[in-house]
Amino acid sequence: MHKKSNKQLNSRAAAAKVCWQIIDQGRSLDSALNDYIANQQPSVKDKGFVQEVVYGVCRWYGELDQVSKKYLRSPIRKKDRVVHFILLVGFYQLRHLQTADHAAVAETVQACKQLNKVWAKKLVNGCLRNHQRSPAEVSNPINLSHGEWLQGQIIEAWPNHSLAIMHANNQRPPMCLRVNTTHQSRDDYLEKLEKAKIAATIDQSSPDGIILGQPVSVNKLPEFNVGACSVQDTAAQLAAHILEAKPGDTILDACAAPGGKTAHMLERMENKGLMHALDISEKRCEQLHETLARLSFDASVFCADATLPPTWSPPEHGYDKILIDAPCSGLGVIRRHPDIKHHRRADDIQKLNAIQQKLIENLWQLLKPGGTMLYMTCSILPSENDHQIKRFLSSNKEAHAVAVAHPSALSLEHGVQTLQGVHAMDGFYYALLQKAS
């Protein structure tokens, strides 16, 4: 547990502390940021600034770390590592933001005192001033900001697209909305956004999608609290269309939380049919309930492990459709979750592969003859994607892959793949399987 802190930190000190927790201590970005917000209750301006800097340092850590080495005579001791992150927060402002130089330096130096490292003020001030006078050149900042293992995986999987993928991983992603078309048409909602002075355009790849010109707080989105729209990347929005959810279907959403795809399928079903939504985590099941409540949809939510025999009651003759949004490395959504760069390890992939295999094999038993299953991940690694489907099809003669109707993906042997930086969406894999009648 992390102790609650009542000491009010300036935004640079807060950003440095949060980055230190994420990168050195292995906390998730969401959890560390949410704790900061709960403990410090920052102003809207400070919250936005800290968020920008934390995401930025996580994205550009490799480059910023390299820069720090050009100005430090020796590495900062482990017990003082938070000072390293104070420095990186300063370098990020000077290299990637439009912050006035004097503010970037003075406020960042002040963070040393706030984090009980007064001795470091002179060091931080000297490094940042030296950078102002003579900015460090860094070769290949994009590649640098991907660890060796991660860079190797991307190049091996997608040699012709690796630079585009790594470049995209370091960009701020767009905020995408999915309009709840049981409330109103997409065009009607676009008009409401225009009246609210929120710049937006139609998402060319998703029939329900809208892309905002700038991210905004969900509280500013018209009728968000009564379910008019949801925040969801284009790639995730396509799942309900590929599975062709329709009124009267019986559907199992096997790894459902936080519920975006569950809700989208219910929108397509016009809330008519049977929806079973599972998640292994009780806490995440609470998120599922919240999503469904906001959208006024009905689904039976079960906290269950989908790799094991069912502890709930599936339909007697099986489900018409099953969606498996499988746990994966998340290497297709790094631009939204840059902490993945710091937390993902090689041995994670083997563990995830074993879970993915169990999910497909176990849930296939619950699909009725003639039914369809959509296996998807937000990964770009073949071992989590086409290789899984190939293995399953080779040992299961009553299964065959069906062509996936997708607006812009790369076609693979059995499924299709989008890549961040290549397609206008996150990196996702989809394979549609049908059971013999």
Short mmCIF file of all heavy atoms in Angstrom, two decimals, residues 11 14-16 18-19 22 29 33 36-37 44-60 64 88-89 92-93 95-99 170-173 214-215 335 338:
data_model
loop_
_atom_site.label_atom_id
_atom_site.label_comp_id
_atom_site.label_asym_id
_atom_site.label_seq_id
_atom_site.Cartn_x
_atom_site.Cartn_y
_atom_site.Cartn_z
N SER A 11 3.40 20.76 -9.38
CA SER A 11 3.09 19.80 -10.45
C SER A 11 4.34 19.05 -10.93
O SER A 11 4.27 17.88 -11.30
CB SER A 11 2.39 20.49 -11.61
OG SER A 11 3.16 21.58 -12.05
N ALA A 14 5.13 16.36 -8.30
CA ALA A 14 4.13 15.29 -8.41
C ALA A 14 4.43 14.41 -9.61
O ALA A 14 4.40 13.17 -9.53
CB ALA A 14 2.73 15.89 -8.53
N ALA A 15 4.75 15.03 -10.76
CA ALA A 15 5.03 14.27 -11.98
C ALA A 15 6.26 13.38 -11.79
O ALA A 15 6.26 12.21 -12.17
CB ALA A 15 5.24 15.21 -13.16
N ALA A 16 7.31 13.92 -11.16
CA ALA A 16 8.54 13.14 -10.94
C ALA A 16 8.26 11.94 -10.04
O ALA A 16 8.71 10.82 -10.31
CB ALA A 16 9.62 14.03 -10.32
N VAL A 18 5.37 10.39 -9.52
CA VAL A 18 4.52 9.41 -10.22
C VAL A 18 5.36 8.61 -11.23
O VAL A 18 5.25 7.39 -11.32
CB VAL A 18 3.30 10.10 -10.89
CG1 VAL A 18 2.55 9.12 -11.78
CG2 VAL A 18 2.35 10.68 -9.83
N CYS A 19 6.23 9.30 -11.99
CA CYS A 19 7.09 8.60 -12.96
C CYS A 19 8.01 7.60 -12.25
O CYS A 19 8.21 6.48 -12.73
CB CYS A 19 7.95 9.60 -13.74
SG CYS A 19 7.01 10.62 -14.88
N ILE A 22 6.05 4.52 -11.37
CA ILE A 22 5.71 3.69 -12.54
C ILE A 22 6.95 2.95 -13.05
O ILE A 22 6.94 1.72 -13.21
CB ILE A 22 5.11 4.56 -13.68
CG1 ILE A 22 3.77 5.16 -13.25
CG2 ILE A 22 4.93 3.73 -14.95
CD1 ILE A 22 3.32 6.32 -14.15
N LEU A 29 0.45 2.97 -14.66
CA LEU A 29 0.29 4.41 -14.85
C LEU A 29 -1.06 4.87 -14.29
O LEU A 29 -1.14 5.87 -13.58
CB LEU A 29 0.43 4.73 -16.35
CG LEU A 29 0.53 6.21 -16.73
CD1 LEU A 29 1.28 6.35 -18.06
CD2 LEU A 29 -0.82 6.87 -16.87
N LEU A 33 -1.34 7.53 -11.20
CA LEU A 33 -1.96 8.84 -11.48
C LEU A 33 -3.23 9.03 -10.67
O LEU A 33 -3.47 10.11 -10.12
CB LEU A 33 -2.30 8.95 -12.97
CG LEU A 33 -1.43 9.83 -13.86
CD1 LEU A 33 -2.04 9.91 -15.25
CD2 LEU A 33 -1.24 11.23 -13.32
N TYR A 36 -2.43 9.96 -7.15
CA TYR A 36 -2.01 11.38 -7.08
C TYR A 36 -3.24 12.29 -7.06
O TYR A 36 -3.35 13.22 -6.25
CB TYR A 36 -1.08 11.71 -8.25
CG TYR A 36 -1.13 13.16 -8.68
CD1 TYR A 36 -0.58 14.17 -7.88
CD2 TYR A 36 -1.73 13.54 -9.88
CE1 TYR A 36 -0.65 15.51 -8.26
CE2 TYR A 36 -1.80 14.86 -10.27
CZ TYR A 36 -1.26 15.85 -9.47
OH TYR A 36 -1.33 17.17 -9.84
N ILE A 37 -4.19 12.01 -7.96
CA ILE A 37 -5.38 12.86 -8.07
C ILE A 37 -6.22 12.77 -6.78
O ILE A 37 -6.67 13.78 -6.24
CB ILE A 37 -6.22 12.46 -9.31
CG1 ILE A 37 -5.43 12.83 -10.58
CG2 ILE A 37 -7.58 13.13 -9.31
CD1 ILE A 37 -5.91 12.13 -11.85
N VAL A 44 -7.61 21.67 -12.19
CA VAL A 44 -7.73 21.09 -13.53
C VAL A 44 -6.44 21.32 -14.32
O VAL A 44 -5.94 20.42 -15.01
CB VAL A 44 -8.95 21.71 -14.28
CG1 VAL A 44 -8.97 21.28 -15.74
CG2 VAL A 44 -10.25 21.32 -13.59
N LYS A 45 -5.87 22.52 -14.17
CA LYS A 45 -4.64 22.86 -14.90
C LYS A 45 -3.48 21.97 -14.45
O LYS A 45 -2.75 21.40 -15.28
CB LYS A 45 -4.30 24.34 -14.65
CG LYS A 45 -3.12 24.83 -15.46
CD LYS A 45 -2.82 26.29 -15.14
CE LYS A 45 -1.50 26.70 -15.78
NZ LYS A 45 -1.06 28.02 -15.29
N ASP A 46 -3.30 21.83 -13.14
CA ASP A 46 -2.20 21.00 -12.62
C ASP A 46 -2.38 19.53 -12.99
O ASP A 46 -1.43 18.85 -13.37
CB ASP A 46 -2.09 21.13 -11.09
CG ASP A 46 -1.30 22.37 -10.69
OD1 ASP A 46 -0.79 23.07 -11.59
OD2 ASP A 46 -1.20 22.66 -9.48
N LYS A 47 -3.61 19.06 -12.89
CA LYS A 47 -3.89 17.66 -13.23
C LYS A 47 -3.53 17.40 -14.70
O LYS A 47 -2.87 16.40 -15.02
CB LYS A 47 -5.38 17.36 -12.99
CG LYS A 47 -5.81 15.96 -13.36
CD LYS A 47 -7.31 15.81 -13.14
CE LYS A 47 -7.87 14.64 -13.90
NZ LYS A 47 -9.33 14.57 -13.85
N GLY A 48 -3.93 18.32 -15.58
CA GLY A 48 -3.63 18.17 -17.01
C GLY A 48 -2.13 18.19 -17.27
O GLY A 48 -1.62 17.40 -18.06
N PHE A 49 -1.42 19.08 -16.56
CA PHE A 49 0.02 19.20 -16.76
C PHE A 49 0.74 17.93 -16.29
O PHE A 49 1.59 17.38 -16.98
CB PHE A 49 0.57 20.43 -16.03
CG PHE A 49 2.05 20.62 -16.21
CD1 PHE A 49 2.56 21.22 -17.35
CD2 PHE A 49 2.96 20.16 -15.25
CE1 PHE A 49 3.93 21.37 -17.54
CE2 PHE A 49 4.32 20.31 -15.42
CZ PHE A 49 4.81 20.93 -16.57
N VAL A 50 0.38 17.45 -15.09
CA VAL A 50 1.02 16.25 -14.55
C VAL A 50 0.77 15.06 -15.47
O VAL A 50 1.67 14.28 -15.79
CB VAL A 50 0.53 15.96 -13.10
CG1 VAL A 50 1.00 14.59 -12.63
CG2 VAL A 50 1.03 17.04 -12.15
N GLN A 51 -0.46 14.93 -15.95
CA GLN A 51 -0.80 13.83 -16.85
C GLN A 51 0.05 13.89 -18.12
O GLN A 51 0.63 12.88 -18.54
CB GLN A 51 -2.29 13.92 -17.20
CG GLN A 51 -2.83 12.69 -17.85
CD GLN A 51 -4.35 12.67 -17.83
OE1 GLN A 51 -4.98 13.04 -16.84
NE2 GLN A 51 -4.95 12.27 -18.93
N GLU A 52 0.15 15.08 -18.71
CA GLU A 52 0.95 15.26 -19.93
C GLU A 52 2.40 14.86 -19.69
O GLU A 52 3.01 14.14 -20.49
CB GLU A 52 0.86 16.73 -20.38
CG GLU A 52 1.89 17.15 -21.42
CD GLU A 52 1.78 16.39 -22.73
OE1 GLU A 52 0.65 16.20 -23.23
OE2 GLU A 52 2.83 15.98 -23.26
N VAL A 53 2.97 15.31 -18.58
CA VAL A 53 4.39 15.05 -18.31
C VAL A 53 4.62 13.57 -17.99
O VAL A 53 5.59 12.96 -18.47
CB VAL A 53 4.91 15.96 -17.17
CG1 VAL A 53 6.32 15.56 -16.75
CG2 VAL A 53 4.88 17.42 -17.62
N VAL A 54 3.73 12.96 -17.22
CA VAL A 54 3.89 11.54 -16.87
C VAL A 54 3.83 10.67 -18.13
O VAL A 54 4.69 9.81 -18.36
CB VAL A 54 2.83 11.10 -15.84
CG1 VAL A 54 2.79 9.58 -15.70
CG2 VAL A 54 3.12 11.74 -14.47
N TYR A 55 2.81 10.90 -18.96
CA TYR A 55 2.72 10.15 -20.22
C TYR A 55 3.96 10.40 -21.08
O TYR A 55 4.52 9.48 -21.68
CB TYR A 55 1.46 10.55 -21.00
CG TYR A 55 0.24 9.76 -20.63
CD1 TYR A 55 -0.52 10.07 -19.50
CD2 TYR A 55 -0.17 8.68 -21.41
CE1 TYR A 55 -1.65 9.34 -19.16
CE2 TYR A 55 -1.31 7.95 -21.08
CZ TYR A 55 -2.04 8.28 -19.96
OH TYR A 55 -3.15 7.54 -19.62
N GLY A 56 4.40 11.67 -21.11
CA GLY A 56 5.55 12.03 -21.95
C GLY A 56 6.83 11.37 -21.49
O GLY A 56 7.59 10.83 -22.31
N VAL A 57 7.09 11.38 -20.18
CA VAL A 57 8.33 10.76 -19.67
C VAL A 57 8.28 9.24 -19.90
O VAL A 57 9.28 8.62 -20.26
CB VAL A 57 8.57 11.10 -18.19
CG1 VAL A 57 9.73 10.29 -17.61
CG2 VAL A 57 8.85 12.60 -18.03
N CYS A 58 7.10 8.63 -19.71
CA CYS A 58 6.98 7.18 -19.96
C CYS A 58 7.24 6.87 -21.45
O CYS A 58 7.87 5.88 -21.78
CB CYS A 58 5.61 6.67 -19.55
SG CYS A 58 5.40 6.51 -17.78
N ARG A 59 6.73 7.73 -22.33
CA ARG A 59 6.93 7.51 -23.77
C ARG A 59 8.40 7.69 -24.16
O ARG A 59 8.95 6.92 -24.92
CB ARG A 59 6.09 8.51 -24.58
CG ARG A 59 4.62 8.17 -24.64
CD ARG A 59 3.86 9.06 -25.62
NE ARG A 59 2.46 8.69 -25.55
CZ ARG A 59 1.49 9.50 -25.12
NH1 ARG A 59 1.75 10.72 -24.74
NH2 ARG A 59 0.24 9.07 -25.07
N TRP A 60 9.00 8.76 -23.68
CA TRP A 60 10.32 9.19 -24.16
C TRP A 60 11.44 8.86 -23.18
O TRP A 60 12.52 9.44 -23.26
CB TRP A 60 10.30 10.69 -24.45
CG TRP A 60 9.45 11.02 -25.63
CD1 TRP A 60 8.18 11.53 -25.62
CD2 TRP A 60 9.78 10.84 -27.02
NE1 TRP A 60 7.71 11.68 -26.90
CE2 TRP A 60 8.67 11.26 -27.78
CE3 TRP A 60 10.91 10.35 -27.67
CZ2 TRP A 60 8.67 11.23 -29.17
CZ3 TRP A 60 10.91 10.31 -29.05
CH2 TRP A 60 9.78 10.75 -29.79
N LEU A 64 15.23 10.55 -22.94
CA LEU A 64 15.50 11.47 -21.82
C LEU A 64 16.60 10.91 -20.92
O LEU A 64 17.45 11.65 -20.41
CB LEU A 64 14.22 11.71 -21.02
CG LEU A 64 13.05 12.32 -21.81
CD1 LEU A 64 11.77 12.29 -20.99
CD2 LEU A 64 13.35 13.74 -22.26
N LEU A 88 14.43 14.24 -15.52
CA LEU A 88 13.74 13.84 -16.76
C LEU A 88 12.51 14.70 -17.00
O LEU A 88 12.19 15.02 -18.15
CB LEU A 88 13.37 12.35 -16.73
CG LEU A 88 14.51 11.34 -16.56
CD1 LEU A 88 14.05 9.94 -16.94
CD2 LEU A 88 15.74 11.69 -17.37
N VAL A 89 11.82 15.05 -15.91
CA VAL A 89 10.65 15.95 -16.03
C VAL A 89 11.10 17.29 -16.61
O VAL A 89 10.44 17.87 -17.49
CB VAL A 89 9.97 16.13 -14.64
CG1 VAL A 89 9.04 17.34 -14.63
CG2 VAL A 89 9.19 14.86 -14.28
N TYR A 92 12.03 16.76 -20.33
CA TYR A 92 10.84 16.58 -21.16
C TYR A 92 10.22 17.94 -21.51
O TYR A 92 9.85 18.18 -22.67
CB TYR A 92 9.81 15.68 -20.46
CG TYR A 92 8.55 15.51 -21.29
CD1 TYR A 92 8.57 14.77 -22.46
CD2 TYR A 92 7.35 16.12 -20.93
CE1 TYR A 92 7.44 14.63 -23.26
CE2 TYR A 92 6.21 15.99 -21.71
CZ TYR A 92 6.26 15.24 -22.88
OH TYR A 92 5.14 15.12 -23.66
N GLN A 93 10.13 18.83 -20.51
CA GLN A 93 9.56 20.15 -20.77
C GLN A 93 10.40 20.92 -21.80
O GLN A 93 9.86 21.55 -22.71
CB GLN A 93 9.49 20.97 -19.48
CG GLN A 93 8.52 20.43 -18.46
CD GLN A 93 8.74 21.10 -17.12
OE1 GLN A 93 8.26 22.19 -16.89
NE2 GLN A 93 9.49 20.44 -16.24
N ARG A 95 12.46 19.76 -24.07
CA ARG A 95 12.61 19.12 -25.39
C ARG A 95 11.28 18.88 -26.12
O ARG A 95 11.25 18.83 -27.34
CB ARG A 95 13.34 17.78 -25.24
CG ARG A 95 14.78 17.92 -24.77
CD ARG A 95 15.42 16.56 -24.52
NE ARG A 95 15.75 15.87 -25.76
CZ ARG A 95 16.87 16.05 -26.45
NH1 ARG A 95 17.79 16.89 -26.03
NH2 ARG A 95 17.10 15.36 -27.55
N HIS A 96 10.20 18.71 -25.36
CA HIS A 96 8.94 18.27 -26.01
C HIS A 96 7.75 19.18 -25.75
O HIS A 96 6.70 18.99 -26.37
CB HIS A 96 8.58 16.85 -25.54
CG HIS A 96 9.53 15.79 -26.01
ND1 HIS A 96 9.45 15.21 -27.25
CD2 HIS A 96 10.61 15.23 -25.41
CE1 HIS A 96 10.43 14.32 -27.38
NE2 HIS A 96 11.15 14.32 -26.28
N LEU A 97 7.86 20.12 -24.83
CA LEU A 97 6.71 20.98 -24.53
C LEU A 97 7.04 22.43 -24.84
O LEU A 97 8.20 22.80 -24.99
CB LEU A 97 6.32 20.86 -23.04
CG LEU A 97 5.72 19.53 -22.59
CD1 LEU A 97 5.31 19.61 -21.13
CD2 LEU A 97 4.51 19.13 -23.43
N GLN A 98 6.00 23.24 -24.88
CA GLN A 98 6.18 24.67 -25.15
C GLN A 98 6.33 25.46 -23.83
O GLN A 98 6.12 26.66 -23.80
CB GLN A 98 4.96 25.23 -25.91
CG GLN A 98 4.64 24.49 -27.20
CD GLN A 98 5.77 24.55 -28.20
OE1 GLN A 98 6.31 25.62 -28.49
NE2 GLN A 98 6.17 23.40 -28.72
N THR A 99 6.67 24.77 -22.75
CA THR A 99 6.82 25.45 -21.46
C THR A 99 7.92 26.51 -21.57
O THR A 99 8.98 26.24 -22.14
CB THR A 99 7.25 24.45 -20.35
OG1 THR A 99 6.51 23.25 -20.53
CG2 THR A 99 7.04 25.00 -18.96
N ASN A 170 4.98 6.67 -29.68
CA ASN A 170 5.42 7.85 -28.93
C ASN A 170 4.53 9.07 -29.18
O ASN A 170 4.82 10.14 -28.68
CB ASN A 170 6.87 8.19 -29.29
CG ASN A 170 7.84 7.17 -28.72
OD1 ASN A 170 7.50 6.45 -27.79
ND2 ASN A 170 9.03 7.09 -29.27
N GLN A 171 3.45 8.88 -29.96
CA GLN A 171 2.56 10.01 -30.24
C GLN A 171 1.37 10.01 -29.28
O GLN A 171 0.99 8.99 -28.73
CB GLN A 171 2.03 9.92 -31.68
CG GLN A 171 3.14 9.85 -32.73
CD GLN A 171 4.15 10.95 -32.60
OE1 GLN A 171 3.81 12.13 -32.57
NE2 GLN A 171 5.43 10.58 -32.49
N ARG A 172 0.78 11.19 -29.13
CA ARG A 172 -0.47 11.28 -28.35
C ARG A 172 -1.59 10.73 -29.23
O ARG A 172 -1.78 11.23 -30.35
CB ARG A 172 -0.78 12.72 -27.99
CG ARG A 172 0.28 13.39 -27.11
CD ARG A 172 -0.08 14.86 -26.90
NE ARG A 172 0.95 15.56 -26.16
CZ ARG A 172 2.00 16.18 -26.71
NH1 ARG A 172 2.15 16.16 -28.03
NH2 ARG A 172 2.87 16.82 -25.96
N PRO A 173 -2.34 9.75 -28.76
CA PRO A 173 -3.41 9.19 -29.61
C PRO A 173 -4.64 10.10 -29.63
O PRO A 173 -4.84 10.89 -28.71
CB PRO A 173 -3.74 7.88 -28.89
CG PRO A 173 -3.44 8.15 -27.46
CD PRO A 173 -2.27 9.12 -27.45
N GLN A 214 -9.47 17.50 -30.18
CA GLN A 214 -8.64 17.53 -28.97
C GLN A 214 -9.33 16.68 -27.90
O GLN A 214 -10.55 16.68 -27.81
CB GLN A 214 -8.54 18.97 -28.42
CG GLN A 214 -7.76 19.94 -29.28
CD GLN A 214 -6.28 19.63 -29.28
OE1 GLN A 214 -5.73 19.17 -28.30
NE2 GLN A 214 -5.63 19.89 -30.41
N PRO A 215 -8.57 15.97 -27.06
CA PRO A 215 -9.21 15.25 -25.96
C PRO A 215 -9.93 16.23 -25.01
O PRO A 215 -9.46 17.36 -24.82
CB PRO A 215 -8.04 14.59 -25.23
CG PRO A 215 -6.94 14.53 -26.24
CD PRO A 215 -7.11 15.75 -27.10
N ARG A 335 0.63 3.47 -27.34
CA ARG A 335 0.45 4.93 -27.40
C ARG A 335 -0.57 5.39 -26.35
O ARG A 335 -0.50 6.52 -25.87
CB ARG A 335 0.03 5.38 -28.81
CG ARG A 335 -1.29 4.80 -29.31
CD ARG A 335 -1.56 5.18 -30.76
NE ARG A 335 -2.94 4.83 -31.13
CZ ARG A 335 -3.61 5.41 -32.10
NH1 ARG A 335 -3.05 6.39 -32.81
NH2 ARG A 335 -4.84 5.06 -32.39
N PRO A 338 1.61 3.98 -22.20
CA PRO A 338 3.07 3.92 -22.40
C PRO A 338 3.81 3.19 -21.29
O PRO A 338 4.98 2.81 -21.46
CB PRO A 338 3.49 5.39 -22.47
CG PRO A 338 2.38 6.16 -21.84
CD PRO A 338 1.14 5.37 -22.08
#
